[in-house]
Amino acid sequence: MGGLDLAEESDDADPSTLAVGTCPGMCPASEFDRRKCQRRLHRLELGPSPSCQPDASLAVKEYSRPAAGKPPPRPEELRPPPVLLDTVRHLLSLDDGAKGDEAERCAFVTDRLRAVRLDLTLQRLTSRPCAIPILERALVFLLHAGSRLHAQPDSRFDAHLHREQVQESFAALRRAYRQGQAKDQGVAAASEPRFQALFLLYNLGSPAALGQVLHLPKGSRTSPDIVLALAIHWAFLERNFARFFRLASALPYLPSCALQPHLVAARRQALATFSHGFSARNCRYPLARLARMLALGGAEEAAQLCRAHGLTVVDDSVAFQKGSLKDSVAPEHPWPSCPFVEGKRGQEALLDLAERLCS
């Protein structure tokens, strides 16, 4: 899978040369004052209407790429781990009952999560056990947002950049798990199997991801979350799409979000398999049954999917023919597959979901 970050990160720097954050709030006072003067505060950093005044308690440090030759940040510009954890919790809470543009809100939260990871990196904490609860909660939001916005145009949601951030967060989190096990005599964090399973589902079909999960300690590898993720992975590799979608449909909300980016490819491969297996002059396959098998929203959505792939729909059935399947589908047919993800979350707030799943 492209973008799978397998690089290691060294934390062996001289402790005397590392910055230790002392910023007590989500945004350093100097940055808040500067952005306030520049009128660059986001609407989510303003107080309630009608006044909408700048509110230092709502401001969150924005991401700023480190530049060559730029002096290192001062301690008061870096947030220590407890403040970073509170920051991520605040960002998660913005999704609950929020009104307005969801893509805009996602862009704001994603930018601020990049700044959180940068603060960890500048303090050489990214691979430390103290980063685990921070990175886990960041991934909850990133997976949720990616599923919600995947069908948005590139001008509103940069899927490539989002995927890079997810992969970087997974890589840092998995390094932190290894550091924690080294310090705790091989005892894994209680939440580790759950997030290792999310990592495998997000990287469905990746030999590198599969190899890494198979090399996990037995206690993690045999957990129910990873056993199910492995079963889904093998079903996909074996092109057993009936089993793949049956297992995938039973996933809870967050694992469904992690798997969602692969559904378009899985459905196309399933149609290609069926085009060979059910290709006959008078053979018709019921659209309602196909919709259930591919976790679609009903027979009409199945018909649209088949037509988009060049297959012939006759009444309430599809006629599979070898060679009739299109090699690609136009971008305007993303097939968001609401039944696969939507409804699984229920009424649970995103912050509550994160607190239930994370360390």
Side-chain angles (χ1 to χ4, degrees):
M1 281 289 171
L4 182 59
D5 183 1
L6 305 178
E8 294 293 330
E9 179 181 275
S10 173
D11 284 327
D12 296 332
D14 180 357
S16 64
T17 66
L18 298 181
V20 177
T22 61
C23 178
M26 296 189 296
C27 183
S30 58
E31 178 186 319
F32 174 76
D33 291 339
R34 181 179 70 253
R35 289 202 285 128
K36 179 180 176 181
C37 292
Q38 296 171 345
R39 296 182 180 274
R40 288 200 307 108
L41 290 171
H42 193 275
R43 66 174 184 84
L44 294 173
E45 299 173 309
L46 304 178
S49 57
S51 60
C52 297
Q53 293 298 311
D55 189 337
S57 68
L58 297 178
V60 185
K61 183 178 181 180
E62 66 179 359
Y63 177 78
S64 178
R65 184 184 300 275
K70 184 179 179 180
R74 300 185 300 274
E76 61 268 23
E77 296 174 327
L78 295 173
R79 296 161 292 180
V83 176
L84 291 173
L85 181 57
D86 288 342
T87 300
V88 176
R89 284 178 167 140
H90 167 74
L91 294 171
L92 283 167
S93 73
L94 296 178
D95 184 79
D96 299 328
K99 298 180 180 179
D101 191 318
E102 187 173 19
E104 178 197 4
R105 187 167 64 251
C106 172
F108 171 82
V109 175
T110 302
D111 174 85
R112 272 40 177 188
L113 289 177
R114 290 184 77 187
V116 166
R117 287 207 325 274
L118 182 59
D119 272 17
L120 287 171
T121 300
L122 291 172
Q123 298 174 79
R124 290 296 182 96
L125 298 173
T126 309
S127 301
R128 303 295 187 186
C130 64
I132 289 175
I134 299 169
L135 294 169
E136 286 179 344
R137 285 165 176 79
L139 276 164
V140 168
F141 176 83
L142 292 172
L143 294 173
H144 159 79
S147 176
R148 295 279 298 176
L149 300 174
H150 74 281
Q152 293 285 337
D154 292 344
S155 59
R156 293 177 54 76
F157 177 69
D158 189 334
H160 177 73
L161 177 61
H162 189 85
R163 182 171 181 81
E164 283 187 348
Q165 294 216 43
V166 174
Q167 296 287 26
E168 290 170 3
S169 297
F170 268 129
L173 177 60
R174 297 179 72 249
R175 288 193 294 267
Y177 284 145
R178 291 196 294 272
Q179 289 275 357
Q181 289 185 33
K183 291 185 177 181
D184 295 333
Q185 291 76 47
V187 177
S191 56
E192 178 177 354
R194 182 177 300 121
F195 281 85
Q196 296 283 12
L198 291 172
F199 166 74
L200 182 60
L201 293 171
Y202 192 76
N203 291 286
L204 185 74
S206 165
L210 177 61
Q212 291 183 46
V213 170
L214 290 176
H215 281 88
L216 290 173
K218 183 177 180 180
S220 295
R221 196 173 63 250
T222 57
S223 70
D225 291 303
I226 292 183
V227 168
L228 178 56
L230 284 169
I232 291 172
H233 199 98
W234 289 123
F236 178 78
L237 293 178
E238 295 166 356
R239 301 178 70 86
N240 185 344
F241 294 106
R243 175 173 169 79
F244 170 82
F245 280 103
R246 184 173 66 252
L247 292 174
S249 296
L251 288 170
Y253 176 69
L254 198 62
S256 297
C257 293
L259 189 62
Q260 190 278 330
H262 303 284
L263 293 185
V264 171
R267 286 177 177 139
R268 189 194 180 283
Q269 291 183 38
L271 292 179
T273 300
F274 298 159
S275 292
H276 285 77
F278 296 104
S279 180
R281 183 183 298 274
N282 297 317
C283 181
R284 300 289 186 269
Y285 198 93
L287 288 170
R289 183 177 179 183
L290 183 67
R292 289 193 298 271
M293 181 179 293
L294 301 185
L296 293 166
E300 180 56 34
E301 188 173 339
Q304 293 175 4
L305 179 66
C306 291
R307 292 190 188 102
H309 284 84
L311 301 175
T312 301
V313 173
V314 181
D315 297 328
D316 58 354
S317 301
V318 56
F320 289 113
Q321 295 292 330
K322 293 180 181 178
S324 62
L325 194 74
K326 289 183 180 179
D327 290 336
S328 61
V329 179
E332 60 265 24
H333 296 293
W335 309 116
S337 64
C338 290
F340 184 82
V341 178
E342 298 300 329
K344 291 184 176 181
R345 178 181 164 192
Q347 299 300 314
E348 187 174 24
L350 189 62
L351 177 58
D352 293 339
L353 173 69
E355 293 302 305
R356 177 168 59 84
L357 297 179
C358 301
S359 298

